[in-house]
Amino acid sequence: MDSSVKFILILAISFEIAFVKSVPINLVIIIGGLAYLLWKRIAVRKLGLLLVIPLLPAVATWISFYLNGTGNAVRTAWIMATRVYAYIVLGGAFSFTATVESLLGSLEQNWHLPTKFVYGSLGAFYFIPRVKTAVQQIKTAAMMRGEVLHVWSPTIFFKAILLSLRWSDNLAIAMHSHGFSENQTRTHYQTYAIPRWNWGVAVGTFLALQVLVWYFR
C-alpha cells in the first residue's frame, strides 16, 4: 500500500479510537496490526520490542485509572491500557513498513505538498546521523581539554546549532547548484503512483472498523 494512503488510514483510525471507549475495538486493532506486521514479515525481535516497551506505560495507565478513575474504574482502566497498545501497534504498522522517502515522495507527487518542505524535511532527516557524530566529536574534543560535557551541557547545544546552520547553508547551495527551484515543474527519478486498489483497501478497512464500533457500542 502507498505510504501516504497508509498514513492517512492510520491517522484516521488513531483519531477515532481516541473517542471510542471500547476494549474489544482496541483489541481488534492490536490483533489486526500485529497480523499485518507478521504478513509483512517483520522480524520477531521488532515485534517483541513492540509488545514489551509499552508494557510499563500501559501498566502505569491501568493503575492510575483504576485508583483515581470515576464510575466504572476497572473498565476505564482497561480501555486506556489497551488504547496505549493500540496506538503503539498502529505506529509500528506504519514505521516498520514505510520509509520517510516514500511518504514524503508520495505526499509531494499525489497530495501536492510543497517541494521546499519535502526536501527540507529529507535534509533534516539525513542530518540526524551527522548530528550524533558531531556531538560525540564535541564531547571528545572537550575531554582532550580536560572538560567533561554532559547531555545537558549548553556548550553541546550551542556548537551543534552552529554546525546545523552551516550544514543547512551548504545544503541550500548544493540544491540551487543542481538546479532546484521551488516554483518549477520537476521530474522524478522514482514516482509514487497510488493504485486504485489502495483506496479500496483503505476505505474497506475504515468501513469495517465503523461496523465493529457500531457492534460493540
Side-chain angles (χ1 to χ4, degrees):
M1 180 181 288
D2 181 78
S3 296
S4 63
V5 176
K6 187 186 304 182
F7 176 76
I8 294 172
L9 175 61
I10 291 177
L11 190 64
I13 295 175
S14 301
F15 182 78
E16 181 164 11
I17 64 175
F19 300 95
V20 176
K21 298 179 180 179
S22 173
V23 174
I25 293 297
N26 293 338
L27 292 177
V28 167
I29 292 174
I30 293 170
I31 294 172
L34 292 175
Y36 174 72
L37 290 172
L38 288 172
W39 177 65
K40 298 294 288 187
R41 298 182 179 180
I42 301 301
V44 178
R45 178 176 176 274
K46 289 185 177 180
L47 292 177
L49 291 175
L50 194 67
L51 295 175
V52 172
I53 292 177
L55 183 61
L56 182 59
V59 171
T61 300
W62 190 94
I63 294 174
S64 176
F65 279 92
Y66 177 75
L67 296 178
N68 304 308
T70 58
N72 192 342
V74 176
R75 179 175 178 272
T76 303
W78 281 113
I79 289 173
M80 295 302 173
T82 54
R83 186 179 292 176
V84 170
Y85 265 99
Y87 279 125
I88 293 296
V89 171
L90 285 173
F94 178 78
S95 60
F96 289 163
T97 60
T99 62
V100 176
E101 294 87 350
S102 63
L103 174 61
L104 291 175
S106 181
L107 289 175
E108 178 198 5
Q109 297 174 26
N110 300 302
W111 301 91
H112 307 292
L113 191 69
T115 307
K116 188 174 183 179
F117 176 82
V118 170
Y119 286 95
S121 300
L122 284 174
F125 178 77
Y126 286 126
F127 278 155
I128 294 176
R130 295 187 63 182
V131 170
K132 292 181 179 179
T133 303
V135 169
Q136 187 59 44
Q137 290 175 346
I138 293 171
K139 294 172 67 175
T140 302
M143 291 180 62
M144 295 178 66
R145 299 192 303 269
E147 181 182 2
V148 179
L149 297 180
H150 301 282
V151 177
W152 56 84
S153 299
T155 303
I156 292 180
F157 292 100
F158 180 73
K159 292 186 177 181
I161 291 173
L162 291 180
L163 285 174
S164 299
L165 292 174
R166 184 186 304 170
W167 293 339
S168 63
D169 289 338
N170 292 338
L171 177 62
I173 294 172
M175 292 175 66
H176 283 293
S177 65
H178 283 77
F180 175 80
S181 179
E182 183 181 8
N183 299 320
Q184 297 295 327
T185 302
R186 296 182 57 81
T187 57
H188 298 89
Y189 174 76
Q190 184 173 3
T191 57
Y192 297 94
I194 302 179
R196 292 183 178 180
W197 68 265
N198 280 198
W199 294 111
V201 171
V203 173
T205 301
F206 192 73
L207 290 178
L209 179 63
Q210 306 314 304
V211 173
L212 290 175
V213 170
W214 176 85
Y215 180 79
F216 289 111
R217 64 180 178 178

